Amino acid sequence: MKVIFKTKRLYLREFNIQDAIHFYKMNDDPEVIKYTGDTAFSSLADAKIFLSQYKDYKLHNMGRWAVCLKENDCFLGWSGLKYHPNEKLVEVGYRFYKENWNKGYATESAKASITYGFETLKLKEIYAHAHIKNIPSHKVIEKCGLHFIHEAIYDGMPAKLYKIENPL
């Protein structure tokens, strides 16, 4: 298990194949994926295939990471950085089981991801986007210090785009 970052309550680690059940269950909840543009996995096997083919850590030295509680190693969701090669930008993102919403985990893990991006990867800027109607996600992004840039169509959906620059 490769831990990427620790916070007061959480640790972020690289995915493993055992996380497939969580990907399958989270994406099977219509409320969890409502504003993402993603679809549910058709089976647990498909979620395992997705994770077995996940190459972002090796390709870009970053990726989405499992977010777990320190006290009991419980998988809460995921958070992390994604490199978009066509746009040549890095974006912070997160997704959590519905029962873990409104507990500060998204903000805490997204802030950790941003800190990792700036301090470890020496990124100059990090972006985020959220569906225009996803108000809770906008609040998380703003709590993380990102500033609204403009509205746009992103992944085929109306979204608000945000950016934060490395203060160092």
Side-chain angles (χ1 to χ4, degrees):
M1 172 176 76
K2 183 174 180 185
V3 173
I4 303 301
F5 206 93
K6 292 180 182 179
T7 69
K8 182 178 178 183
R9 302 179 295 167
L10 311 171
Y11 64 89
L12 283 65
R13 63 163 173 79
E14 289 186 354
F15 297 135
N16 60 54
I17 202 71
Q18 289 78 28
D19 295 328
I21 188 67
H22 300 296
F23 275 73
Y24 178 72
K25 287 181 177 179
M26 277 195 306
N27 280 25
D28 199 41
D29 185 333
E31 286 186 67
V32 171
I33 62 170
K34 180 177 182 179
Y35 296 117
T36 66
D38 289 340
T39 57
F41 289 102
S42 59
S43 67
L44 178 57
D46 283 349
K48 286 181 180 179
I49 290 168
F50 170 80
L51 286 174
S52 71
Q53 296 176 349
Y54 191 77
K55 306 286 186 227
D56 285 16
Y57 307 139
K58 289 180 182 168
L59 291 176
H60 307 297
N61 201 28
M62 68 179 83
R64 306 300 199 194
W65 301 296
V67 177
C68 302
L69 268 179
K70 280 183 179 177
E71 67 184 43
N72 60 11
D73 297 321
C74 181
F75 183 104
L76 304 173
W78 59 257
S79 185
L81 303 172
K82 181 176 182 176
Y83 178 66
H84 295 272
N86 292 340
E87 296 88 1
K88 296 186 180 10
L89 62 83
V90 174
E91 184 175 50
V92 65
Y94 40 83
R95 184 173 305 167
F96 288 83
Y97 278 116
K98 193 168 33 186
E99 61 264 24
N100 296 320
W101 292 359
N102 299 310
K103 296 180 180 178
Y105 299 140
T107 302
E108 190 172 335
S109 62
K111 282 182 176 181
S113 298
I114 292 166
T115 299
Y116 179 84
F118 287 157
E119 293 181 1
T120 304
L121 301 176
K122 308 297 185 204
L123 299 173
K124 293 181 181 177
E125 55 196 19
I126 296 174
Y127 293 82
H129 83 277
H131 189 285
I132 201 141
K133 293 182 181 178
N134 191 348
I135 304 304
S137 196
H138 295 288
K139 289 180 181 177
V140 169
I141 292 167
E142 291 166 0
K143 285 180 194 175
C144 291
L146 285 89
H147 301 285
F148 174 74
I149 303 171
H150 58 81
E151 292 181 9
I153 300 299
Y154 195 93
D155 287 341
M157 301 178 304
K160 288 187 177 184
L161 300 177
Y162 297 83
K163 177 177 144 179
I164 186 171
E165 294 182 2
N166 191 334
L168 304 176

